[in-house]
Amino acid sequence: MTEEEPQHLLNSDAGRQEILILISEYLKEQNLIQSARILNDEASLVRSKGSINMYVSQRVVSSLVEGDFHTVEDLLHEVDFRGKKQFLYRMYRQHFLELMHKEEYSTAQIVLMRFLKRLERNEHKKGDFHTLCYLLTCKRVDDVDSLKNWSTVDRTELVDLFNILTQNNVDEMLSDVSPPHGRLTTLLGQALQHQLAQVPHEEAQVDTFFSDHEPTVIPDHLHSVLEMENRVSAVKACAWISPTSLISANSVGDVALFVGDEYGTVFNKEREISLTKRVWDVAANENLAVVGCSQGDIHFFEPRTLEMLSHTRLDNDIYSIVMHPFRDFIFAAGFSAEISMVDSVTGTEVTCFKGHSNSVTDLAIPHYGSLLYSSSKDRSIKVWDVLSGACVHQHNAHLHEVSSIALSSDSMMLASVGKDHTLRLWDLRMQKLFKSIKGIHNTSENFVRCCFGNKDKIVYCGSQSDGLGCYDVNTGLKKDLYDLCQHEANLNTIYDVQISRTKAVLASTSRAGVVALWKSSIPM
């Protein structure tokens, strides 16, 4: 199966409808009948009248046996079958008699007047409704001759009546396409197993569906070094396309695609192309790769082949590019101090964010996509409303230009690296600085980047000469994980650091002209 096939199903009308049906069936399995009914109404998922799903039929029978008559009514609300009103009368009659037997007279009267009264014409025996009314006055079921043989626990006659009345309807539905019981949870379980397969040597405990699984280890040793054709030029940026593929670019415009095996153990260079212009930043996902260059050039690529899709040009050098998490927009900024929102399909500039007084060095966008964060050589970090383009907040703490920013996976924290040799951590809920870490060697003319690591407890940071840095978010202390690595990939200036989606592999780019891949060996 190709990668396009499941994506095609997800994007098709039939696929979307099947997803909604899975959610509806799950709600019914959880006894959230009213919620399922609302979803069915809004999404037009209700099957035609006269059809009863086999699953619904089984639920009705089990609810009848348990005496859960309200659930039965909810289950049968959306369907119709011959004799339905007659069945409902018999069901409410059983409910009424059980309430009378338990001496819950007020509730029994409500059942009589609200439900049985409107179904009086469907009584199975003439005069039965009046007999029930009489029962309210005498209070005891045994005092009515016609009810002396009634049983409080034997509801099998009610189940038999339902099966007889609905047998034809259920048989007609057997040929209809409906999901098996528990299908949604089965698919979620398969998705979790697929995530865990990306880290095959770890025994993991998955504790949330809200984000991809992150291993309980941190990349702490050099696993492999990926070389580009031109080893003389520094590799300025890289971006993960998937957990097993990434794209990198060097200062002279060479762009390389590296693809790993199923578990990301061995990476090989798939293709390398040359753009002949200095590259400052790259961004990528499974659908698109974007490269920002000098002189305002932005190139769009097919990420699996590096085939050029389109090209556009802005006014000045592009220092940073970020992709909107779910819309066809990219944000590009650089020397001109302005941020451009560009349609990634047409390549046209949609709007421009103005407010910085010096070059914009880095961009970050949260997973919900309504805000945009930018750092600048003017020492500020600005927060923008994506829809209006207005600056809604500004963070000021760095004493020198800010070279990089990164958001945590839940978008609750922001990390920023400045040329004042500090790594600063911001609480975005309170909009305030909560930790400042000194000692980041960052005087390079180029940009030293940072990123969050495992469960947002770690921040990785490049440096001009101190190698790869790893800092604890809670304590602010540097973890001495990389100091012993004497490979040239860790001794030269490290410009960019990017962790894979599974948090199992860390990629760093350096002046040595290589991409270093770091993997985990020690539990956290």
Side-chain angles (χ1 to χ4, degrees):
M1 179 181 289
T2 64
E3 295 184 14
E4 289 82 357
E5 288 178 355
Q7 196 67 33
H8 173 73
L9 176 61
L10 289 172
N11 294 331
S12 67
D13 291 338
R16 284 190 288 266
Q17 186 171 24
E18 287 188 4
I19 292 172
L20 292 171
I21 291 174
L22 288 173
I23 296 172
S24 176
E25 295 298 320
Y26 177 77
L27 291 172
K28 293 174 185 176
E29 292 167 12
Q30 301 302 312
N31 286 324
L32 300 173
I33 306 301
Q34 188 65 26
S35 300
R37 184 184 302 166
I38 293 172
L39 174 61
N40 290 342
D41 289 341
E42 290 196 4
S44 301
L45 300 179
V46 181
R47 292 182 173 90
S48 60
K49 292 288 185 179
S51 60
I52 300 177
N53 188 291
M54 178 66 81
Y55 166 71
V56 173
S57 176
Q58 293 172 348
R59 285 285 309 281
V60 168
V61 171
S62 62
S63 298
L64 286 174
V65 173
E66 295 168 3
D68 188 358
F69 302 114
H70 294 299
T71 297
V72 174
E73 184 190 19
D74 288 336
L75 288 168
L76 297 182
H77 177 77
E78 298 289 355
V79 297
D80 196 10
F81 54 89
R82 183 173 298 177
K84 177 181 177 180
K85 291 183 178 180
Q86 177 188 354
F87 168 77
L88 289 176
Y89 178 87
R90 293 284 294 274
M91 183 186 73
Y92 288 124
R93 180 180 184 272
Q94 177 75 13
H95 190 195
F96 171 80
L97 293 174
E98 291 185 14
L99 291 171
M100 290 297 297
H101 180 75
K102 292 186 289 186
E103 299 182 356
E104 297 180 15
Y105 303 124
S106 297
T107 307
Q109 184 176 4
I110 292 174
V111 173
L112 181 73
M113 302 309 296
R114 179 177 295 178
F115 301 109
L116 287 169
K117 175 63 177 174
R118 61 182 172 86
L119 296 168
E120 180 181 358
R121 293 183 179 181
N122 300 279
E123 57 185 4
H124 63 297
K125 198 164 35 175
K126 188 173 183 180
D128 183 74
F129 180 75
H130 292 290
T131 301
L132 299 180
C133 292
Y134 169 71
L135 182 58
L136 271 180
T137 61
C138 66
K139 305 298 186 183
R140 289 177 57 83
V141 177
D142 293 341
D143 291 343
V144 181
D145 292 337
S146 61
L147 298 175
K148 288 186 182 295
N149 296 326
W150 175 80
S151 172
T152 59
V153 294
D154 186 8
R155 305 181 182 111
T156 55
E157 289 188 8
L158 206 54
V159 172
D160 291 340
L161 176 63
F162 174 76
N163 287 333
I164 292 171
L165 293 174
T166 60
Q167 187 61 51
N168 292 335
N169 298 83
V170 173
D171 289 343
E172 290 172 4
M173 283 299 295
L174 291 177
S175 61
D176 192 14
V177 177
S178 59
H181 181 75
R183 179 58 178 164
L184 181 60
T185 54
T186 299
L187 288 174
L188 289 173
Q190 292 172 353
L192 291 178
Q193 290 299 323
H194 176 73
Q195 290 184 35
L196 294 177
Q198 307 302 316
V199 196
H201 304 298
E202 182 196 9
E203 294 183 3
Q205 179 72 32
V206 179
D207 52 11
T208 181
F209 286 109
F210 290 170
S211 59
D212 288 346
H213 167 67
E214 298 179 7
T216 55
V217 290
I218 53 178
D220 62 348
H221 77 283
L222 186 63
H223 174 263
S224 56
V225 176
L226 310 180
E227 297 184 1
M228 299 185 66
E229 193 71 30
N230 187 347
R231 281 289 307 274
V232 178
S233 301
V235 180
K236 290 298 184 65
C238 66
W240 288 95
I241 298 170
S242 71
T244 58
S245 61
L246 78 157
I247 184 175
S248 64
N250 63 19
S251 57
V252 296
D254 298 325
V255 181
L257 171 66
F258 296 94
V259 178
D261 58 16
E262 182 180 0
Y263 300 116
T265 304
V266 179
F267 280 79
N268 294 301
K269 184 165 64 177
E270 191 77 10
R271 190 183 180 196
E272 183 171 332
I273 62 173
S274 179
L275 299 177
T276 69
K277 289 186 178 180
R278 174 188 287 265
V279 174
W280 288 101
D281 198 16
V282 296
N285 58 29
E286 294 181 348
N287 301 313
L288 186 68
V290 189
V291 177
C293 306
S294 60
Q295 301 180 15
D297 283 349
I298 301 175
H299 299 274
F300 299 91
F301 295 95
E302 206 291 323
R304 289 175 292 273
T305 62
L306 279 190
E307 178 186 353
M308 178 87 73
L309 299 176
S310 60
H311 163 266
T312 190
R313 174 172 289 183
L314 301 179
D315 291 336
N316 289 285
D317 288 8
I318 304 300
Y319 293 159
S320 180
I321 285 180
V322 68
M323 304 171 72
H324 195 280
F326 50 85
R327 300 184 63 188
D328 293 328
F329 293 117
I330 67 161
F331 299 87
F335 182 79
S336 67
E338 298 177 354
I339 304 168
S340 297
M341 183 167 74
V342 178
D343 188 315
S344 59
V345 177
T346 64
T348 57
E349 185 178 19
V350 178
T351 188
C352 187
F353 303 78
K354 298 181 180 181
H356 282 295
S357 59
N358 207 333
S359 301
V360 178
T361 58
D362 204 4
L363 300 171
I365 191 167
H367 64 277
Y368 49 83
S370 59
L371 296 176
L372 177 70
Y373 293 82
S374 63
S375 61
S376 171
K377 290 185 177 181
D378 64 11
R379 307 179 185 180
S380 72
I381 300 170
K382 291 185 182 293
V383 187
W384 308 85
D385 177 71
V386 170
L387 188 62
S388 66
C391 180
V392 296
H393 195 76
Q394 179 170 310
H395 300 289
N396 296 298
H398 284 281
L399 304 178
H400 208 295
E401 64 184 63
V402 187
S403 67
S404 176
I405 53 175
L407 285 166
S408 60
S409 59
D410 59 5
S411 303
M412 296 296 185
M413 289 187 292
L414 179 78
S416 60
V417 177
K419 290 193 176 181
D420 54 2
H421 307 293
T422 62
L423 166 65
R424 300 180 189 264
L425 300 174
W426 308 80
D427 185 337
L428 298 182
R429 293 167 295 186
M430 304 298 293
Q431 296 288 0
K432 67 177 184 180
L433 178 72
F434 73 88
K435 196 172 296 297
S436 182
I437 303 170
K438 298 181 180 179
I440 311 297
H441 195 192
N442 181 17
T443 58
S444 171
E445 294 181 358
N446 297 286
F447 304 118
V448 170
R449 307 295 194 187
C450 65
C451 73
F452 278 90
N454 181 280
K455 299 184 185 298
D456 299 328
K457 296 178 181 179
I458 297 294
V459 175
Y460 299 101
C461 184
S463 69
Q464 183 176 356
S465 59
D466 294 337
L468 185 59
C470 176
Y471 300 87
D472 189 293
V473 168
N474 294 321
T475 65
L477 298 177
K478 182 179 180 181
K479 293 179 176 291
D480 298 326
L481 301 177
Y482 308 99
D483 294 349
L484 296 179
C485 180
Q486 296 299 306
H487 193 280
E488 61 175 341
N490 196 47
L491 296 177
N492 285 271
T493 301
I494 295 181
Y495 298 115
D496 197 7
V497 285
Q498 297 291 334
I499 199 158
S500 66
R501 190 180 309 160
T502 61
K503 303 295 190 290
V505 186
L506 180 72
S508 63
T509 68
S510 70
R511 187 185 292 275
V514 297
V515 180
L517 298 184
W518 307 81
K519 280 202 165 187
S520 311
S521 63
I522 303 174
M524 237 177 137

